[in-house]
Amino acid sequence: MATQDSSELPKPKDLSHLLSKTTLNRQASSIKAFYKYFSIPGIGQLAGGLPNSEYFPFDSLEASAALPDRWKPTSNEPVDPPEHAGALSSTHYPSSRVEVPKDARVNDRNKQIDLLTALQYGTAEGYPPLRLFLREFTRQHMHPTTTYSDGPEIILTCGSTDGFSKFLQTFNNEWVEGRHTVKEREGLLVEEFAYMNAVQTARPRGMNIVPVSLDDDGMKSHGRGGLKEVLETWDFARGKRPHLLYTVTMGHNPTSSVVSLPRRREIYELCQQYDIVICEDDPYWYLQYASANPLVHEVRRELTKPLHPYHHPSSGYEFLDSLVPSYTSIDVEGRVVRLDTFSKTVAPGARLGWITAQPAIIERILRITETSTQQPSGFVQSMVAELLLGPQSNKDPGHGGGRDGRGYQTDGWVRWLEGLRGNYERRMRKMCNIFEKGRMDVRLHHEDSIDETRVEWGIVEKTAPLFSFKWPAGGMFLWLEVHFHRHPLSLVFTGLQLSKALWIQWTRKPYRVLVSPGTIFAPTQDIKDREGWKFFRLCFAACPDEEVTPISERFVSGIREFWQIEDPEGIRDLLREADEENSVGHEMLCGNLAGPC
């Protein structure tokens, strides 16, 4: 692992002029200021309003946990991974016993993982042992390139949704129609198909939602609808030119693209030029699929652009070095706020993540946290800390997630991430291979043989594709476009009507598949009406592994049979069901490829 001397680097840019009025006015919590004195040995504690930790009803927290090598990785190189490199053959996986004790018998609060500290009021930065582990992992291994003096800082969150909400509170002034002038209205730049929880968080704050066009590399920097054009041609009658950009760059939700490093540089330069803060939401960073491009070339004979190599300081791990680096790695001015989460690496219900940004921004977010969430759940933080770090001394009765009772440590955590990538990549390959076989329209042309017996025979001909898709370069989703203009009844029904009808067709027997319509990812009504109905997002992550193949086959069958409907009444029957209020009540009976929104 390379280390860099940051002493000669410039300080991050002062972005205080972009902070919201509320954020500028926040002061440090007077109560939290006492906390640093609580750990002084022998001090008589009469200051804080803390309940007595001896009265907590929990004597320990215990769980059986996976060993870090439970799942087999796929290759870091753009080659075809062997099919047999799946999960371990036995369904009885070896596991470890993780235990968080009542008292770790450790005097250093930065190493103390126990219920005495985890269940007590704590500092808003996060549980000290876990925060320090994540800080080192973030700075030394995830983003080893130091771009400004002293490097970034982190603060723990209750997941990325909480992190994005705090990002908006930090930089956005709420706007209310009728109370504020139009020239005061601020905006948020997003991809033209976007993660809608973010949009739905911003819209009630009165923000203009400003879409930027996408291509195979993710958000476009130049060209029609690209970021440069959006900013250059901004209509100030709508309000201020947006100074905030929200983006999912690795395994984009919903389109699954991975933004290349050259494209990141182009977008970052535009953000420098127009003084924009980038919020990089990156729950799928470790789910980058090196095999996707070579497989597309193999099955379609299409030329593809490799995502490798990247020349930057080593993280110390081949797997991490193989991944496309974050905006943080090129953030020379400190205008990137990155959101990470344990939702996809541990569990969504953990509600645990962290924000990475320049220290001045983290300090402002800390002030927000002190008077809102305060810190994530102590139960969750201590359990994850014990899993990763294990006991911190010979007297510590805790038990970590490693095979020997120690924690995963950094080596084990990276190995766990590699295994997760391997499992999701194999799922992706299963689904894509089935879709490749089924995407073309197959027609049987009947002819007479030329011999004297006059036996009827037929020619099977593959014509135009029924649907198109890109093999996911990362993430958990497959983004699919259905070519409704080629349907036999395309002159009778609109594309939107056919899209609704097909969605209902999938939920009926014998198909029973639930997918997410593209309309729910359209950030504006114009995009929804113009082209949102053409697309569907499929999640290959959620369903049981043994069901990926049969569900994918039923999905393809549903499309093929839909193309056989030539009687308009068949479509009208489907549309009547689509219009019923409870039409999505089929969900529990369907193979779920919709996944979380």
PDB file of all heavy atoms in Angstrom, residues 393-404:
ATOM      1  N   SER A 393      -8.009  -6.689  23.667  1.00  0.00           N
ATOM      2  CA  SER A 393      -6.952  -7.007  24.619  1.00  0.00           C
ATOM      3  C   SER A 393      -7.139  -8.443  25.087  1.00  0.00           C
ATOM      4  O   SER A 393      -8.174  -9.066  24.832  1.00  0.00           O
ATOM      5  CB  SER A 393      -6.985  -6.044  25.813  1.00  0.00           C
ATOM      6  OG  SER A 393      -8.046  -6.381  26.696  1.00  0.00           O
ATOM      7  N   ASN A 394      -6.139  -8.968  25.802  1.00  0.00           N
ATOM      8  CA  ASN A 394      -6.233 -10.331  26.329  1.00  0.00           C
ATOM      9  C   ASN A 394      -7.323 -10.466  27.381  1.00  0.00           C
ATOM     10  O   ASN A 394      -7.845 -11.559  27.612  1.00  0.00           O
ATOM     11  CB  ASN A 394      -4.887 -10.754  26.923  1.00  0.00           C
ATOM     12  CG  ASN A 394      -3.809 -10.897  25.862  1.00  0.00           C
ATOM     13  OD1 ASN A 394      -4.111 -11.177  24.702  1.00  0.00           O
ATOM     14  ND2 ASN A 394      -2.560 -10.708  26.259  1.00  0.00           N
ATOM     15  N   LYS A 395      -7.691  -9.355  28.018  1.00  0.00           N
ATOM     16  CA  LYS A 395      -8.727  -9.380  29.049  1.00  0.00           C
ATOM     17  C   LYS A 395     -10.126  -9.196  28.464  1.00  0.00           C
ATOM     18  O   LYS A 395     -11.122  -9.387  29.164  1.00  0.00           O
ATOM     19  CB  LYS A 395      -8.457  -8.278  30.074  1.00  0.00           C
ATOM     20  CG  LYS A 395      -7.156  -8.440  30.843  1.00  0.00           C
ATOM     21  CD  LYS A 395      -6.972  -7.289  31.823  1.00  0.00           C
ATOM     22  CE  LYS A 395      -5.675  -7.433  32.603  1.00  0.00           C
ATOM     23  NZ  LYS A 395      -5.474  -6.305  33.551  1.00  0.00           N
ATOM     24  N   ASP A 396     -10.190  -8.811  27.194  1.00  0.00           N
ATOM     25  CA  ASP A 396     -11.484  -8.526  26.551  1.00  0.00           C
ATOM     26  C   ASP A 396     -12.226  -9.828  26.283  1.00  0.00           C
ATOM     27  O   ASP A 396     -11.738 -10.676  25.517  1.00  0.00           O
ATOM     28  CB  ASP A 396     -11.223  -7.770  25.241  1.00  0.00           C
ATOM     29  CG  ASP A 396     -12.500  -7.268  24.570  1.00  0.00           C
ATOM     30  OD1 ASP A 396     -13.586  -7.762  24.908  1.00  0.00           O
ATOM     31  OD2 ASP A 396     -12.384  -6.375  23.707  1.00  0.00           O
ATOM     32  N   PRO A 397     -13.416 -10.035  26.888  1.00  0.00           N
ATOM     33  CA  PRO A 397     -14.162 -11.282  26.679  1.00  0.00           C
ATOM     34  C   PRO A 397     -14.956 -11.316  25.370  1.00  0.00           C
ATOM     35  O   PRO A 397     -15.687 -12.280  25.114  1.00  0.00           O
ATOM     36  CB  PRO A 397     -15.104 -11.330  27.883  1.00  0.00           C
ATOM     37  CG  PRO A 397     -15.331  -9.895  28.226  1.00  0.00           C
ATOM     38  CD  PRO A 397     -14.063  -9.167  27.893  1.00  0.00           C
ATOM     39  N   GLY A 398     -14.828 -10.284  24.551  1.00  0.00           N
ATOM     40  CA  GLY A 398     -15.557 -10.247  23.289  1.00  0.00           C
ATOM     41  C   GLY A 398     -15.073 -11.312  22.317  1.00  0.00           C
ATOM     42  O   GLY A 398     -14.019 -11.931  22.499  1.00  0.00           O
ATOM     43  N   HIS A 399     -15.857 -11.496  21.259  1.00  0.00           N
ATOM     44  CA  HIS A 399     -15.529 -12.521  20.262  1.00  0.00           C
ATOM     45  C   HIS A 399     -15.872 -11.956  18.892  1.00  0.00           C
ATOM     46  O   HIS A 399     -17.001 -11.528  18.644  1.00  0.00           O
ATOM     47  CB  HIS A 399     -16.340 -13.794  20.535  1.00  0.00           C
ATOM     48  CG  HIS A 399     -15.715 -15.042  19.984  1.00  0.00           C
ATOM     49  ND1 HIS A 399     -15.875 -15.438  18.686  1.00  0.00           N
ATOM     50  CD2 HIS A 399     -14.905 -15.963  20.565  1.00  0.00           C
ATOM     51  CE1 HIS A 399     -15.217 -16.576  18.487  1.00  0.00           C
ATOM     52  NE2 HIS A 399     -14.611 -16.912  19.621  1.00  0.00           N
ATOM     53  N   GLY A 400     -14.865 -11.910  17.989  1.00  0.00           N
ATOM     54  CA  GLY A 400     -15.061 -11.306  16.678  1.00  0.00           C
ATOM     55  C   GLY A 400     -15.500 -12.286  15.614  1.00  0.00           C
ATOM     56  O   GLY A 400     -15.758 -13.461  15.877  1.00  0.00           O
ATOM     57  N   GLY A 401     -15.581 -11.802  14.372  1.00  0.00           N
ATOM     58  CA  GLY A 401     -16.136 -12.600  13.281  1.00  0.00           C
ATOM     59  C   GLY A 401     -15.144 -13.495  12.566  1.00  0.00           C
ATOM     60  O   GLY A 401     -15.528 -14.236  11.663  1.00  0.00           O
ATOM     61  N   GLY A 402     -13.867 -13.453  12.959  1.00  0.00           N
ATOM     62  CA  GLY A 402     -12.874 -14.287  12.309  1.00  0.00           C
ATOM     63  C   GLY A 402     -12.897 -15.720  12.807  1.00  0.00           C
ATOM     64  O   GLY A 402     -13.514 -16.053  13.828  1.00  0.00           O
ATOM     65  N   ARG A 403     -12.194 -16.576  12.102  1.00  0.00           N
ATOM     66  CA  ARG A 403     -12.195 -18.001  12.424  1.00  0.00           C
ATOM     67  C   ARG A 403     -11.602 -18.277  13.799  1.00  0.00           C
ATOM     68  O   ARG A 403     -12.002 -19.218  14.481  1.00  0.00           O
ATOM     69  CB  ARG A 403     -11.394 -18.754  11.347  1.00  0.00           C
ATOM     70  CG  ARG A 403     -11.657 -20.255  11.299  1.00  0.00           C
ATOM     71  CD  ARG A 403     -10.869 -20.878  10.154  1.00  0.00           C
ATOM     72  NE  ARG A 403     -11.240 -20.313   8.867  1.00  0.00           N
ATOM     73  CZ  ARG A 403     -12.237 -20.762   8.116  1.00  0.00           C
ATOM     74  NH1 ARG A 403     -12.978 -21.777   8.536  1.00  0.00           N
ATOM     75  NH2 ARG A 403     -12.491 -20.198   6.946  1.00  0.00           N
ATOM     76  N   ASP A 404     -10.667 -17.455  14.235  1.00  0.00           N
ATOM     77  CA  ASP A 404      -9.999 -17.667  15.510  1.00  0.00           C
ATOM     78  C   ASP A 404     -10.579 -16.809  16.631  1.00  0.00           C
ATOM     79  O   ASP A 404      -9.999 -16.709  17.704  1.00  0.00           O
ATOM     80  CB  ASP A 404      -8.503 -17.390  15.375  1.00  0.00           C
ATOM     81  CG  ASP A 404      -8.232 -15.983  14.854  1.00  0.00           C
ATOM     82  OD1 ASP A 404      -9.200 -15.239  14.592  1.00  0.00           O
ATOM     83  OD2 ASP A 404      -7.049 -15.610  14.708  1.00  0.00           O
TER      84      ASP A 404
END
